[in-house]
Amino acid sequence: MDTTSTRAHDGVRTAPRALATEAVHAGRDDLARQGLHAPPIDLSTTYPSYDSRGEAARIDAFATTGAEPDGPPVYGRLGNPTVARFETALARLEGTEAAVAFASGMAALSAVLLVRGSMGLRHVVAVRPLYGCSDHLLTAGLLGSEVTWTDPAGVADALRPDTGLVIVESPANPTLAEVDLRAVAHACGSVPLLVDNTFATPVLQRPAEHGARLVLHSATKYLGGHGDVLAGVVACDEEFAGRLRQVRFATGGVLHPLAGYLLLRGLSTLPVRVRAASATAAELVRRLAADPRVARVHYPGIGGAMVAFEVYGDPHEVIAGVRLITPAVSLGSVDTLIQHPASISHRIVDADDRRGAGVSDQLLRMSVGLEDVDDLWSDLDGALGRRPERARGCTDVRLRRAGVSNHGAPALAD
């Protein structure tokens, strides 16, 4: 393998390509000239060098700017060629200059907060709901940050001279509420906007095109796509990427090369997986919306494979009653998962704050996979239990921004 640089693209840039093409080829542009077809996995933790003066100069340069070192790799905490391939590919898909990968989504968010905090900008403006652990990290001030919670319309008024970051998640976890990203980015002024794009993926939206400076993914989810890798990544401009690399080097929140390989492999099928699962999700939304056992359905206007719904009955019985669907946290895998946010993913959030953000105790969150829609519906139908003796028209169904009736399926984004 050519390890003369940790830059996976190695200077290669191509003409603009469709997202499906980028998903397959980004991060692999140099393979053919190396006589390779599948990307290699570099598991080295360290690399030999007989030029200690040159190595010292490259380390000094990294300490100054955080730029990827020129020449051969130095040490696994500084960078890894396999991980760099994934970073290159994700940046291409999100339309940013760079991306920096971490050991988990929370490690990625922590690095962003540490970067801004190191500049004396510890105040964060955030919009609920966020992923429960993101909410907790901010609220508890574990990294010395102070948070002001607001709605999207209140972002501008919540900014202070020491505000270092504005954070939103759209569609949000777990209610699937959407935010007008362009409007929020405008309200941020010079303060960087971080958008958690885990649920949408670059297949459905690219926040950088709407003014976000930072795009966060729990890469554990759709980017990996098979429930077998734990990772996080931030897509951003090169200047911010340099600072993130410096924090990653200092704190050690690095991504293992095998995880980087699995993520690059996962990206190649990302558009196909998201669109197929989204089509199934839309049909399940239609059926849930017409079901008298369901009080409310949440589904974003941009579509996607995530569905949230509130039941009239006991949500815990639904969790206990599924057989094909897996009752588990996480999302974005090829198999369908269901969980009760108030008990698990958002349990760490104060109950009043949780309910105030729309996370009711009756809410269930479902990540739709690639199974047959009729098989999934059969399992849900059985888990929902007996149909109540009430008129079908009495079901209170509200589809968030989907603009559909109880009997219509929302259109999916291409």
Side-chain angles (χ1 to χ4, degrees):
M1 175 186 169
D2 180 1
T3 57
T4 57
S5 172
T6 58
R7 295 183 178 90
H9 53 79
D10 215 14
V12 175
R13 290 298 295 183
T14 60
R17 303 184 291 202
L19 183 133
T21 303
E22 287 284 24
V24 172
H25 290 280
R28 303 168 178 84
D29 291 314
D30 64 325
L31 293 181
R33 66 180 176 83
Q34 295 191 57
L36 300 173
H37 183 243
I41 307 174
D42 187 332
L43 295 174
S44 299
T45 58
T46 191
Y47 299 85
S49 172
Y50 294 95
D51 181 11
S52 56
R53 291 187 181 87
E55 196 162 89
R58 291 190 294 126
I59 291 174
D60 286 346
F62 176 83
T64 302
T65 65
E68 294 175 294
D70 291 325
V74 178
Y75 184 58
R77 196 151 40 84
L78 259 171
N80 172 273
T82 305
V83 172
R85 290 183 181 279
F86 163 66
E87 293 172 330
T88 295
L90 194 276
R92 296 270 190 92
L93 292 181
E94 284 290 2
T96 58
E97 292 178 343
V100 183
F102 294 86
S104 70
M106 291 308 301
L109 177 58
S110 296
V112 173
L113 293 172
L114 288 171
V115 166
R116 301 303 282 169
S118 70
M119 302 170 69
L121 303 170
R122 298 184 179 277
H123 179 243
V124 176
V125 175
V127 176
R128 278 191 174 116
L130 294 177
Y131 168 54
C133 288
S134 300
D135 189 308
H136 176 67
L137 180 65
L138 295 172
T139 302
L142 296 176
L143 296 178
S145 58
E146 177 189 350
V147 62
T148 297
W149 295 101
T150 186
D151 58 31
V155 166
D157 291 337
L159 299 178
R160 304 187 329 205
D162 62 338
T163 301
L165 200 64
V166 175
I167 302 178
V168 302
E169 185 173 5
S170 183
N173 187 354
T175 65
L176 304 177
E178 295 176 279
V179 174
D180 184 336
L181 298 181
R182 193 174 299 279
V184 172
H186 179 74
C188 290
S190 61
V191 177
L193 171 64
L194 180 149
V195 175
D196 188 328
N197 202 35
T198 300
F199 276 22
T201 80
V203 177
L204 299 179
Q205 75 179 6
R206 307 207 315 174
E209 295 177 349
H210 300 283
R213 185 177 180 188
L214 307 166
V215 183
L216 173 72
H217 286 271
S218 172
T220 306
K221 313 306 194 293
Y222 287 104
L223 303 189
H226 294 76
D228 55 8
V229 61
L230 194 69
V233 64
V234 179
C236 56
D237 57 73
E238 178 56 35
E239 179 185 357
F240 206 101
R243 294 181 177 274
L244 288 173
R245 293 186 197 106
Q246 290 174 325
V247 168
R248 183 178 64 180
F249 174 72
T251 60
V254 296
L255 184 67
H256 191 274
L258 181 58
Y261 171 83
L262 291 173
L263 288 166
L264 185 63
R265 187 179 68 170
L267 287 185
S268 64
T269 60
L270 178 66
V272 176
R273 288 187 285 105
V274 168
R275 286 168 178 150
S278 297
T280 300
E283 174 59 18
L284 291 176
V285 164
R286 186 188 68 80
R287 298 185 190 189
L288 287 166
D291 196 298
R293 297 166 295 183
V294 176
R296 184 177 298 177
V297 178
H298 304 257
Y299 191 64
I302 64 170
M306 297 300 300
V307 178
F309 59 98
E310 298 169 53
V311 296
Y312 283 115
D314 186 347
H316 301 286
E317 291 184 3
V318 179
I319 294 293
V322 293
R323 294 295 178 264
L324 175 66
I325 298 169
T326 302
V329 295
S330 200
L331 55 107
S333 186
V334 291
D335 60 322
T336 299
L337 308 177
I338 193 169
Q339 65 112 348
H340 183 240
S343 295
I344 306 182
S345 65
H346 289 70
R347 186 69 179 178
I348 200 168
V349 180
D350 177 81
D352 289 338
D353 291 336
R354 187 171 65 231
R355 295 182 186 117
V359 186
S360 77
D361 292 342
Q362 300 301 114
L363 184 74
L364 294 167
R365 190 196 74 189
M366 184 167 61
S367 169
V368 179
L370 300 180
E371 303 94 337
D372 181 83
V373 66
D374 290 328
D375 289 333
L376 290 174
W377 179 249
S378 177
D379 196 36
L380 272 179
D381 186 40
L384 286 168
R386 294 183 58 186
R387 293 176 179 265
E389 297 296 328
R390 68 172 75 202
R392 185 158 139 184
C394 293
T395 305
D396 176 22
V397 179
R398 301 177 189 178
L399 299 175
R400 287 190 180 272
R401 295 187 59 185
V404 303
S405 69
N406 287 8
H407 307 290
L412 297 178
D414 291 330

